[in-house]
Amino acid sequence: MLVPLPGWITANSPETLAVAAFKSGAALAYLTLATAADPVPQALWRDRLALAAAEVSARISGRREGAAAMRDALLLTRAGDDPGPAGNILRQWSRAVSRPISVDHLARALEGVAPERIALTLDVTGPTPVDRAAQVIEAVLTDNPRGETPALILADAVLSRALGRDHLLPLLGPAMTARDLRLRGDDLRLACHRAAVKGVQQALPLAGELARGAARLRAAVPKLRAKGAARAAEMILSQDALAPGALSFMSDRAARRLCDRLVGLGVLRELTGRDTFRLYGV
C-alpha cells in the first residue's frame, strides 16, 4: 500500500495562488518519491491514467462515451480504420504516453498540431512546473478554442518533463474540467494547481493497486504451462487492456486459453463482460 497524501495537502480550504502552488508542489514531490520503486508497472500506470484522461477529454468535448466504449473503439478497430471521435481521443492519449517525450513523438500522437508549436510548448518557462503547464493550456486554447485534448496532453507533457520524467504521466488530464479550461491568467493557474493535487490523489492509489496486481501476475507465471506466458505477462503489464489477438506470438486459441487461465487464477480481469470480442487487463 502506498501511503496517501497528507490531509493538509488535500484539504479543501480557501486558498491563495501561493498556497495552492505550495500544495501542488508538495503533492507532486510526494508522488515522485512514492512511485519511484521498481514494483510500480510504469507503462501500465501511464496507460491506465491515459484512459482516465481520455474520458475527461471526451466529456469536455461533449461526448458521452465512457471507458468501456472508448476501449472498444480503439482496440477492436482494425489497423488503419477510423476508431471514431471518442476512440481517436483515447488513441491520442495512449500514443502520447507510450514513448519518451519528444517533438517528433508528440507530433505523431496529436493530429493537427504543428511540430513548431510543440517545440515552443516544450521550451516554455515559468516559476513552477504547474505554472508552465497552465501557460501551455492558455496558449493552445487561444490558438484553437476547441483544442482541449491537445492542450491537456501538451500540458501534461510539460509538467512531466519538468518533474524529470522521460514519459508523459497524465495528471492534469484526468482532473481538469471544462470550466477550468475556460479560465485564463491567475485563475487558470490556480485551477491547474488544484487539479495537480487531484491528479496525484487519483494516480497514487492506482500505482499501488497496479503494483500489487503486477506482483500477483508475475507470481502466477511459473504455474503456467503455455509457452510464451512470461512474454505475455509483460505485454499485459505494458498497457491498460488488450485482446488475446494482440499476443501475436501465440495461436489465437492458446492466447484465449492463457487469458482465461489468468482470470481463473484471479490475477487478470476480463473487462467487457462479453462472451466474444473480449478484452483483458490487470
Side-chain angles (χ1 to χ4, degrees), residues 131-176:
D131 286 311
R132 297 175 199 174
Q135 288 183 55
V136 168
I137 291 173
E138 184 161 358
V140 173
L141 292 180
T142 297
D143 287 348
N144 178 14
R146 300 299 301 273
E148 296 95 344
T149 297
L152 290 171
I153 289 175
L154 290 172
D156 267 325
V158 166
L159 177 60
S160 299
R161 203 181 199 190
L163 295 175
R165 293 185 173 274
D166 294 330
H167 290 72
L168 187 158
L169 181 70
L171 294 174
L172 295 178
M176 297 289 283

Side-chain angles (χ1 to χ4, degrees), residues 29 31 36 59 69 71 82 86-87 90 106 115 118 130 136 138 148 182 186 196 202-203 215 225 230 247 269 275:
L31 180 73
R59 287 198 301 270
R71 277 184 179 131
D82 184 0
L90 178 55
L106 289 172
I118 295 172
V130 177
V136 168
E138 184 161 358
E148 296 95 344
R182 290 194 292 268
D186 286 350
Q202 294 181 52
R225 297 180 180 178
L247 304 177
R269 293 182 297 144
D275 292 331

Side-chain angles (χ1 to χ4, degrees), residues 222-267:
K223 304 175 185 177
L224 304 173
R225 297 180 180 178
K227 292 182 179 180
R231 183 177 175 187
E234 291 311 310
M235 282 190 66
I236 291 167
L237 290 175
S238 71
Q239 53 197 290
D240 163 62
L242 57 72
L247 304 177
S248 56
F249 50 89
M250 307 176 75
S251 70
D252 287 345
R253 182 181 179 187
R256 289 195 299 270
R257 289 181 62 185
L258 173 64
C259 289
D260 289 339
R261 173 64 173 149
L262 291 172
V263 170
L265 291 172
V267 298

Side-chain angles (χ1 to χ4, degrees), residues 25-133:
L28 292 167
Y30 185 87
L31 180 73
T32 299
L33 293 173
T35 59
D38 288 340
V40 177
Q42 297 285 334
L44 172 56
W45 187 37
R46 292 192 301 269
D47 207 34
R48 190 63 57 80
L49 287 172
L51 175 64
E55 283 192 90
V56 171
S57 294
R59 287 198 301 270
I60 289 173
S61 67
R63 307 208 61 82
R64 297 183 179 181
E65 290 90 341
M70 298 179 83
R71 277 184 179 131
D72 281 355
L74 181 62
L75 298 177
L76 300 180
T77 299
R78 290 180 297 182
D81 288 351
D82 184 0
N88 185 55
I89 290 173
L90 178 55
R91 182 168 61 184
Q92 289 182 76
W93 275 104
S94 294
R95 284 180 175 176
V97 304
S98 65
R99 294 183 180 180
I101 299 167
S102 71
V103 173
D104 289 343
H105 173 58
L106 289 172
R108 287 191 293 270
L110 298 175
E111 298 176 359
V113 182
E116 295 79 11
R117 159 56 76 186
I118 295 172
L120 288 173
T121 294
L122 295 181
D123 288 337
V124 70
T125 60
T128 74
V130 177
D131 286 311
R132 297 175 199 174

